[in-house]
Amino acid sequence: MSMTGFDLSFRHLCSPYTTLRFEFPTQTRRKIQYGCTCTAGRPALCSTSASSTAVSDSNENHVGTSYGRRTMISMITILFPLHRSMQHSCANAADDLLLLQEEIRKVLTKGKAAGVLRLVFHDAGTYEIDENSGGMNGSISYELDRPENKGLKKSLKILLEAKKTVDETITVSMSDVIAVAGAEAVSLCGGPKIPVQLGRLDSMVPDPEGKLPEETLDAIGLKQSFKRKGFSTQELVALSGAHTLGSKGFGSPIIFDNSYYKVLLEKPWLSSGGMTSMVGLPSDRALIEDDECLRWISKYADDQDLFFEDFKNAYIKLVNSGAKWKRNS
């Protein structure tokens, strides 16, 4: 720390730190070299005689130094408590997330991962940009009797167990629980680690019906549906890779990898007879017939790391779509 300025580095906050450098006004640190530089506001420092120049310089330097010190102390008084407050807030958020992750891991198994990940998609997948409706808001709790959500009651039930335990310490929304649980399901099965922010607010009513992409859509219909939700074709293909988990026939049902894309390229459903004809949904098979989708399918089949990175980014976007946030988040 010097009289010309000081650095405050926020190195332990939630976002990448920024170094802030405060420079005091030049007049507070300069040395007077050329006679009297007083203004009408400082008459006591003035003298018209040459013999008083040294005294004037001394007084000017003393006042400048004093002013600089007061300014620096004032800055520190304001900024250091803010720095500590931000650190405390981020530390609390990290602790809350860790607690939620630990409780989810207690109830989640690889065999349940596909169902939990499907729960994420069916809660967040109702989002529509133009209508500003749906999205990641926990409304799936009110929509379980809809045909497209068949089988999700079990997945929600195990997450409610985790939520009940967490709520004894902190209050967490159902939408936060679902978003974090999906990320944990992917990680548990060997996929990428996905950071999820907490602070979503839950809806108290169901989302409008008919907003999820239908399983019978062709590639054009799928791209149009995802576009209405704010997702590109690349993001559509990346998110579709979640079908590598579960019983749809893409590799191991409990391993998250790029098998989905490799199997799509093989088109096993074209083989006569056997279970190969049951691989994937109609919407999965439609992707391989679209040139734009095929380009991304080929990339992900060749490069699992690329798939993991793109899936992570698309997942974060998905669980933030349509979310309403607490003010302090």
Side-chain angles (χ1 to χ4, degrees):
M1 182 181 297
S2 70
M3 289 309 300
T4 59
F6 59 94
D7 292 335
L8 291 179
S9 298
F10 299 106
R11 285 172 158 72
H12 305 291
L13 305 184
C14 298
S15 58
Y17 67 82
T18 302
T19 299
L20 306 178
R21 182 170 180 82
F22 293 90
E23 291 289 345
F24 298 116
T26 304
Q27 65 199 41
T28 68
R29 59 180 189 266
R30 63 179 175 162
K31 292 184 178 180
I32 308 301
Q33 297 179 349
Y34 302 108
C36 178
T37 59
C38 66
T39 66
R42 298 202 302 268
L45 300 181
C46 296
S47 173
T48 57
S49 65
S51 62
S52 65
T53 301
V55 175
S56 177
D57 289 351
S58 177
N59 288 340
E60 179 72 16
N61 289 333
H62 174 74
V63 171
T65 301
S66 178
Y67 172 76
R69 285 173 178 167
R70 288 198 303 272
T71 303
M72 179 174 65
I73 292 171
S74 178
M75 286 289 189
I76 294 173
T77 302
I78 294 172
L79 290 170
F80 278 11
L82 175 61
H83 185 192
R84 289 195 297 269
S85 176
M86 293 174 69
Q87 285 182 315
H88 180 69
S89 177
C90 290
N92 285 347
D95 290 342
D96 293 348
L97 177 59
L98 182 59
L99 173 62
L100 178 55
Q101 289 172 326
E102 289 176 347
E103 293 304 322
I104 287 174
R105 289 166 189 163
K106 292 178 182 178
V107 299
L108 184 63
T109 64
K110 290 183 178 181
K112 298 174 181 177
V116 167
L117 193 54
R118 180 170 169 247
L119 191 66
V120 176
F121 278 73
H122 282 230
D123 190 35
T126 57
Y127 180 57
E128 295 282 338
I129 291 179
D130 292 341
E131 300 174 8
N132 192 27
S133 64
M136 196 73 217
N137 56 18
S139 67
I140 190 70
S141 301
Y142 309 106
E143 303 159 5
L144 295 175
D145 290 333
R146 296 177 181 177
E148 65 268 26
N149 295 330
K150 183 179 179 180
L152 290 179
K153 289 183 179 179
K154 293 181 180 179
S155 298
L156 187 65
K157 183 178 180 180
I158 66 170
L159 297 188
L160 285 172
E161 294 179 26
K163 184 180 187 304
K164 181 179 179 181
T165 303
V166 173
D167 282 343
E168 294 175 357
T169 304
I170 60 171
T171 300
V172 61
S173 66
M174 195 66 237
S175 48
D176 275 350
V177 174
I178 295 172
V180 174
E184 289 301 308
V186 170
S187 177
L188 177 65
C189 293
K193 294 186 181 299
I194 307 174
V196 177
Q197 180 182 352
L198 299 184
R200 295 167 189 78
L201 296 172
D202 285 339
S203 172
M204 295 295 104
V205 296
D207 286 339
E209 295 190 47
K211 299 301 181 181
L212 290 176
E214 297 178 6
E215 297 177 354
T216 56
L217 288 176
D218 60 14
I220 294 177
L222 284 170
K223 290 195 288 187
Q224 290 175 341
S225 177
F226 273 73
K227 184 178 180 179
R228 290 195 299 270
K229 302 177 189 301
F231 290 90
S232 65
T233 298
Q234 174 258 318
E235 291 168 328
L236 156 64
V237 176
L239 289 173
S240 296
H243 285 176
T244 194
L245 292 180
S247 56
K248 296 180 178 64
F250 298 104
S252 171
I254 59 172
I255 296 178
F256 191 95
D257 56 18
N258 64 341
S259 294
Y260 174 80
Y261 305 103
K262 293 179 178 179
V263 173
L264 282 182
L265 290 175
E266 295 171 359
K267 300 183 178 181
W269 51 87
L270 297 180
S271 301
S272 58
M275 295 299 293
T276 55
S277 62
M278 303 298 291
V279 172
L281 300 171
S283 55
D284 293 316
R285 303 173 193 177
L287 293 178
I288 198 69
E289 303 302 330
D290 179 84
D291 289 342
E292 187 179 9
C293 293
L294 176 59
R295 184 164 65 251
W296 287 105
I297 290 171
S298 299
K299 286 178 180 290
Y300 295 148
D302 291 337
D303 191 340
Q304 181 168 278
D305 289 339
L306 176 64
F307 163 51
F308 278 12
E309 181 65 20
D310 286 354
F311 181 87
K312 177 187 71 175
N313 293 331
Y315 182 91
I316 293 172
K317 183 175 178 178
L318 177 69
V319 298
N320 290 345
S321 295
K324 303 296 187 295
W325 301 89
K326 296 178 183 177
R327 289 187 177 183
N328 61 349
S329 296

